[in-house]
Amino acid sequence: MASVSLSLRTVEEIFKDFSARRAGIIRALTYDVDEFYGLCDPEKENLCLYGHPNETWEVNLPAEEVPPELPEPALGINFARDGMNRRDWLSLIAVHSDCWLLSVAFYLGARLNRNERKRLFSLINDLPTVFEVVTERKPVKDKPNADSGSKSRGSTKRSSDGQAKSNPKPAEESYEEDEDEHSETLCGSCGGNYNADEFWIGCDVCERWFHGKCVKITPAKAENIKQYKCPSCMKRGRQ
């Protein structure tokens, strides 16, 4: 079942918790979808999909205590698995997961004032919903072009040899083309859409793209990286 830290009080802490749980659920419904599908056996009891603060996911029975420590996600997601089109089933779970994530965030933010609640929702609303990610049908791991490495607003990309190349195009023209080319690129960590105002870096192993802030890489640091490996690839020890 979902875990919670009772010390969560600030907008930033609650948003971090929201983002991590969301990342876990997105992984269950995209990268790990076959494993998730297999765990949702209709022959089992009522099952729920949980996202955890460490960006992992879990299919489990609902909490036994009443009232539960946190709001509970949709109950019995496994029962409809074989009675629906797989894509529609996943989309339905995505919608319910969005509702659950919001309910958890505002449950944790019960003591926030009006302006803090507004800021929390604004941060959440800047991210695509789980439903939007799942139904978009563009693999999160897709790379926007053949170049690997970091990118920032209309200025620099790294070539395959790790050297920075300047973009000779005018800033405004480059910005517009960059926006069009990468508009459907999603961060492999938080699932957020590409924004040319933010620094991004691409993994040279799995070819996913990430907000620099999500993987703690700055533009200056990226300039000295010949081959970037994201945290997941480093953990798996890919070569």
Side-chain angles (χ1 to χ4, degrees), residues 34-168:
D34 291 333
E35 179 184 356
F36 169 71
Y37 188 88
L39 290 173
C40 293
D41 185 350
E43 298 300 319
K44 295 182 179 180
E45 296 184 42
N46 292 297
L47 295 175
C48 301
L49 171 61
Y50 294 95
H52 294 305
N54 61 354
E55 300 188 9
T56 62
W57 59 272
E58 177 185 16
V59 172
N60 207 339
L61 296 171
E64 295 182 359
E65 64 267 20
V66 179
E69 186 179 15
L70 277 180
E72 286 289 300
L75 181 66
I77 58 173
N78 52 316
F79 294 150
R81 191 194 72 176
D82 294 344
M84 295 179 66
N85 172 277
R86 174 164 164 158
R87 179 175 178 175
D88 293 339
W89 178 69
L90 291 172
S91 298
L92 180 62
I93 294 173
V95 172
H96 280 291
S97 295
D98 281 319
C99 297
W100 177 67
L101 288 168
L102 282 172
S103 68
V104 171
F106 281 87
Y107 176 86
L108 296 176
R111 292 186 174 87
L112 298 179
N113 61 39
R114 179 179 178 180
N115 289 333
E116 289 172 331
R117 289 195 303 271
K118 184 177 180 179
R119 185 156 62 91
L120 174 60
F121 181 76
S122 179
L123 289 171
I124 291 173
N125 201 42
D126 282 341
L127 296 175
T129 63
V130 176
F131 177 77
E132 288 170 337
V133 173
V134 170
T135 59
E136 190 173 18
R137 290 339 211 184
K138 182 176 178 61
V140 179
K141 67 179 179 180
D142 271 5
K143 199 174 182 181
N145 55 41
D147 289 329
S148 65
S150 60
K151 62 184 177 182
S152 59
R153 176 174 176 173
S155 58
T156 303
K157 290 183 179 180
R158 269 199 307 119
S159 62
S160 58
D161 61 3
Q163 298 300 313
K165 291 184 177 180
S166 296
N167 191 334

Side-chain angles (χ1 to χ4, degrees), residues 168-208:
K169 297 180 181 179
E172 291 185 4
E173 180 182 347
S174 300
Y175 174 70
E176 291 175 0
E177 291 184 2
D178 205 38
E179 283 286 271
D180 293 338
E181 181 183 3
H182 308 312
S183 60
E184 293 186 353
T185 302
L186 302 176
C187 176
S189 178
C190 71
N193 283 325
Y194 171 70
N195 184 337
D197 289 321
E198 299 177 299
F199 174 73
W200 286 60
I201 187 166
C203 177
D204 291 312
V205 179
C206 68
E207 300 189 343
R208 287 184 294 163

